[in-house]
């Protein structure tokens, strides 16, 4: 189950990245789905991310078949990291809006942020996701969950964030030019 859950996470990241790239570069969804472009994208994300999250939950509930135990005294630190991840995530959503969870900026639901948490972290949502896996590692006292943090770090912060990168100053200028 461990490898299946890791593969599902990596696949969700790859599919999300490819879908955003296709929309950003070629307006794929707009051409294929017209007025339902964002709805189609949301449906895709719900399926792929839902599957990855479900597999991770099943893995955690059943316990991984491979374990790299940590001392149990690390568990309280997991709660601290959980709170930090939650605060960072909340600040990112506050800055960008909930539409950012489903890549709304690529579907005409633009809301840009370059201040607040975005002045401190380039990709706070993805930092929060990676920290969530670190917190899982600590709360479960099992270093095997660091594999998820690694996939998150490389896939979300290393790949997907670059695919989704928007030049905020240019986007704000373009938006104000149209107004």
């Amino acid at each position: 189950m461990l490898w299946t859950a890791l593969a599902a996470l990596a696949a969700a990241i790859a599919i999300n990245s490819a879908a955003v790239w296709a929309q950003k570069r070629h307006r794929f969804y707009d051409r294929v789905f017209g007025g339902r472009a964002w709805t189609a994208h949301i449906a895709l994300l719900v399926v792929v991310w839902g599957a990855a999250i479900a597999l991770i939950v099943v893995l955690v509930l059943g316990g991984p078949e491979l374990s790299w135990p940590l001392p149990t005294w690390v568990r309280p630190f997991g709660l601290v990291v959980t709170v930090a991840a939650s605060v960072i995530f909340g600040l990112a959503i506050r800055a960008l809006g909930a539409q950012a969870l489903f890549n709304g900026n690529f579907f005409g639901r633009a809301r840009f942020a370059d201040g607040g948490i975005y002045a401190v972290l380039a990709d706070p949502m993805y930092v929060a996701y990676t920290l969530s896996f670190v917190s899982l590692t600590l709360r479960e006292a099992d270093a095997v969950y660091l594999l998820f943090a690694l996939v998150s770090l490389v896939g979300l912060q290393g790949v997907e964030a670059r695919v989704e990168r928007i030049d905020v100053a240019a986007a704000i200028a373009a938006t104000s030019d149209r107004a």
Side-chain angles (χ1 to χ4, degrees), residues 28-74:
F28 171 79
Y29 283 95
D30 294 338
R31 290 194 332 233
V32 174
F33 298 105
R36 301 229 182 261
W38 195 36
T39 303
H41 183 68
I42 290 170
L44 173 68
L45 296 187
V46 166
V47 170
V48 299
W49 283 107
I53 292 166
L55 287 168
I56 293 167
V57 167
V58 168
L59 173 69
V60 172
L61 291 175
E65 61 273 17
L66 176 64
S67 182
W68 301 327
L70 295 171
T72 57
W73 58 262
V74 302

Side-chain angles (χ1 to χ4, degrees), residues 13 16 45 49 81-82 84-106 109 111-113 115-133 149 152-153 155-158 160-161 164-166:
I13 292 167
N16 195 157
L45 296 187
W49 283 107
V81 176
T82 298
S86 298
V87 168
I88 291 168
F89 184 79
L91 291 171
I93 291 298
R94 182 174 181 214
L96 285 183
Q99 84 281 355
L101 288 171
F102 295 100
N103 308 114
N105 291 343
F106 301 103
R109 280 130 179 111
R111 185 163 161 194
F112 305 104
I117 192 70
Y118 281 87
V120 178
L121 297 171
D123 303 299
M125 270 196 241
Y126 295 152
V127 169
Y129 296 156
T130 301
L131 284 175
S132 293
F133 288 120
S152 177
L153 180 68
L156 292 174
Q157 294 178 57
E160 190 162 342
E164 293 177 350
R165 185 87 46 204
I166 294 173

